[in-house]
Amino acid sequence: MVNYLQEHYFRYKQAYSTRSFLLAVAYLSLMVTGCSQKTAVNPPAKSNSASQVVSNNQNSEKNNVVRLGYQKGGIIPISRQRGDLEKQLTAQNIKVEWTGPFDRCATLLAAINGNRADIGGCGDIPTISGIASGQPLCIGSVQRPQPDSLGSAILVRGDSAIRKPADLIGKKVAVNQGGAGEYLLLKVLEKENIPKDKVQRVYLSPNDAAPALYQGSVDGWAVWEPYISIAELEHKARRITTTHPAPTYSIMVVRGDAAKDNPVAIKSALTALSQDGEWLNQHTDAAADFMVKELKVSQAVAKQATKNRGPESYVFPNADDIAKLQKTADWLLEQKILPKRVDIAASVCPLGTTATR
C-alpha cells in the first residue's frame, strides 16, 4: 500500500511538473510571437504528435490480440486444449483469447458479427448464408471436401419404418435453416429426384432437434458430427444416408475488420490452426481424447466421430476452391436459400494468400 501511494505521488508530482513546464513554454511562445513574426512555436502540434504516439501504441496492442471462437467439435477447441497454438502465437507477440463453445455455426457467426470473436470454424453453407445476409465475414482458410467422409447424415429413430430417402415423402425432417443440415437434405432430395416440397423442413437447432427426433416430433434429422455418433451410440438412431451427395467445404471464417486491420496476426493464427490439424491427423487417439475432455462425451462417441469426420487439413483457398464455392453459392441462390448472390472471390480475406496452388 505504501509503495502504491509513493508511486501515485511520484506520478502526480511528475505530471504536475510537466504541466507547469508546458504552461511556461506556451507563455514564452506568446511573448516571442508578439515580438517577431519570423519565429513560430506551435505547442498544439507537439500535443497532436504525442496523442498520435499513444494512439499508435493502443492500436499496436489491439492488433496483437486474436480471439478464437469455437463450436462443439472441430479443430479450434482441440487447439485450445493442446496449447501449442497459443505458445506459437505468444512467441510472435500475439495474444490469444478463446470464446465458446457454441452449439452451431449460426451462434458462432453471430459472435463474430457482434465483434466477440475474430476467427471461427464453420461449414461453407452457413458461411455463405452469413455473407449473403450482410454479416462482415470473410473466408480465411478452407478444408476441401472429403467425398468419403461420414461426417454428416440424415438420421431416423431406430424403430422407424423409414429406410431410404424416398420414405421421407410426407414426413418432417429437422434441419438448421440456411445451414449444413438444410443443404444436405435438399441435395439428397435432388439426387433422388424427390420434389423438395414433398418433405417438410422443420427449422431447429441441434440442441432442439435431438429431443424432437427421439420423442417423435420429427421423423428425421439432417445433422453432422459429433451429434451423429451421440444419436447412434446413445439413442439408437440410425442413418439412412452414407456419404454426402455434394461434399462440402469447412471454412475458417474471419471477421472482416480483423482481416483488414490485423492481417499478420490473423494469417499466423490460421497457419497455426492448420499445423494443429496436421498433427492431429497423425495422432487420432489424441484427437478423440481431446473431444472427450471438451464435449464430455464417451470415448466410443469421440472415436467414432473422429473417424467419421476424417482428417483435418486446412489450406488457404486457391482459384479452384473459389470456383467450387461460387458454384455452391449460386445453387443456394437458385434454391432461394440466399437473399442475394455472393461473390466468393471478393469474400476471401485480404491476407495475400490467394495465389494459384
Side-chain angles (χ1 to χ4, degrees):
M1 182 67 179
V2 174
N3 289 339
Y4 170 81
L5 290 174
Q6 289 175 340
E7 181 181 1
H8 184 73
Y9 173 75
F10 175 76
R11 289 179 178 173
Y12 172 81
K13 184 175 180 181
Q14 185 179 47
Y16 179 82
S17 300
T18 301
R19 287 197 297 271
S20 299
F21 174 76
L22 289 175
L23 285 171
V25 170
Y27 179 73
L28 288 173
S29 299
L30 288 172
M31 292 180 63
V32 172
T33 303
C35 295
S36 172
Q37 295 298 323
K38 294 181 180 180
T39 305
V41 180
N42 193 353
K46 292 183 179 180
S47 178
N48 289 342
S49 177
S51 298
Q52 186 64 44
V53 170
V54 172
S55 176
N56 288 342
N57 288 339
Q58 290 174 341
N59 289 337
S60 176
E61 291 178 5
K62 183 178 180 181
N63 287 347
N64 281 339
V65 176
V66 174
R67 300 167 299 174
L68 297 174
Y70 58 97
Q71 290 191 73
K72 296 178 178 179
I75 186 66
I76 294 181
I78 293 178
S79 293
R80 175 173 173 262
Q81 285 192 55
R82 186 169 177 245
D84 278 34
L85 177 146
E86 196 159 355
K87 291 177 184 176
Q88 183 176 333
L89 295 188
T90 298
Q92 301 175 50
N93 195 33
I94 300 170
K95 181 181 178 182
V96 178
E97 295 178 356
W98 308 89
T99 178
F102 299 97
D103 65 335
R104 62 192 190 280
C105 282
T107 50
L108 173 55
L109 294 180
I112 296 175
N113 184 42
N115 195 18
R116 300 193 305 277
D118 299 313
I119 298 175
C122 274
D124 54 3
I125 310 305
T127 299
I128 293 170
S129 296
I131 294 172
S133 68
Q135 295 182 24
L137 311 171
C138 63
I139 298 169
S141 58
V142 301
Q143 177 168 279
R144 290 167 180 148
Q146 303 175 54
D148 297 330
S149 170
L150 298 175
S152 60
I154 297 178
L155 301 175
V156 297
R157 293 182 300 281
D159 60 356
S160 173
I162 298 172
R163 297 289 170 180
K164 57 186 183 301
D167 296 335
L168 293 174
I169 294 175
K171 306 296 184 182
K172 299 178 181 178
V173 178
V175 299
N176 58 321
Q177 186 172 13
E182 185 171 23
Y183 181 70
L184 170 61
L185 176 62
L186 291 175
K187 278 295 183 180
V188 167
L189 297 180
E190 182 180 71
K191 180 182 178 182
E192 300 292 329
N193 296 313
I194 301 170
K196 63 183 180 182
D197 59 357
K198 295 293 185 182
V199 177
Q200 182 180 346
R201 282 167 274 170
V202 180
Y203 294 126
L204 296 172
S205 70
N207 289 341
D208 294 327
L213 177 68
Y214 307 149
Q215 296 167 13
S217 300
V218 296
D219 304 291
W221 181 20
V223 71
W224 53 91
E225 288 291 5
Y227 297 104
I228 295 172
S229 292
I230 294 172
E232 287 182 319
L233 298 178
E234 297 182 1
H235 299 277
K236 295 183 170 52
R238 56 181 170 78
R239 62 170 70 217
I240 61 167
T241 60
T242 51
T243 56
H244 199 304
T248 57
Y249 278 82
S250 295
I251 293 179
M252 285 297 166
V253 189
V254 180
R255 187 171 59 86
D257 284 346
K260 182 176 64 176
D261 299 337
N262 200 7
V264 173
I266 294 297
K267 186 175 179 180
S268 295
L270 293 173
T271 300
L273 285 169
S274 176
Q275 291 170 351
D276 264 352
E278 294 303 328
W279 185 90
L280 287 166
N281 293 338
Q282 305 301 318
H283 302 83
T284 54
D285 287 342
D289 289 339
F290 284 134
M291 186 180 291
V292 169
K293 294 175 184 177
E294 183 68 35
L295 303 184
K296 306 297 186 289
V297 296
S298 69
Q299 191 71 32
V301 166
K303 285 186 175 182
Q304 179 172 300
T306 300
K307 181 180 179 181
N308 286 350
R309 283 176 59 89
E312 299 274 357
S313 183
Y314 281 89
V315 297
F316 294 113
N318 63 17
D320 184 57
D321 297 318
I322 292 171
K324 289 176 179 176
L325 287 168
Q326 186 64 63
K327 184 177 180 181
T328 298
D330 292 343
W331 185 88
L332 292 171
L333 183 64
E334 292 172 5
Q335 298 297 313
K336 298 182 180 179
I337 293 175
L338 301 184
K340 64 179 182 180
R341 185 177 186 271
V342 172
D343 184 343
I344 296 297
S347 302
V348 174
C349 297
L351 302 175
T353 58
T354 54
T356 302
R357 294 174 182 78

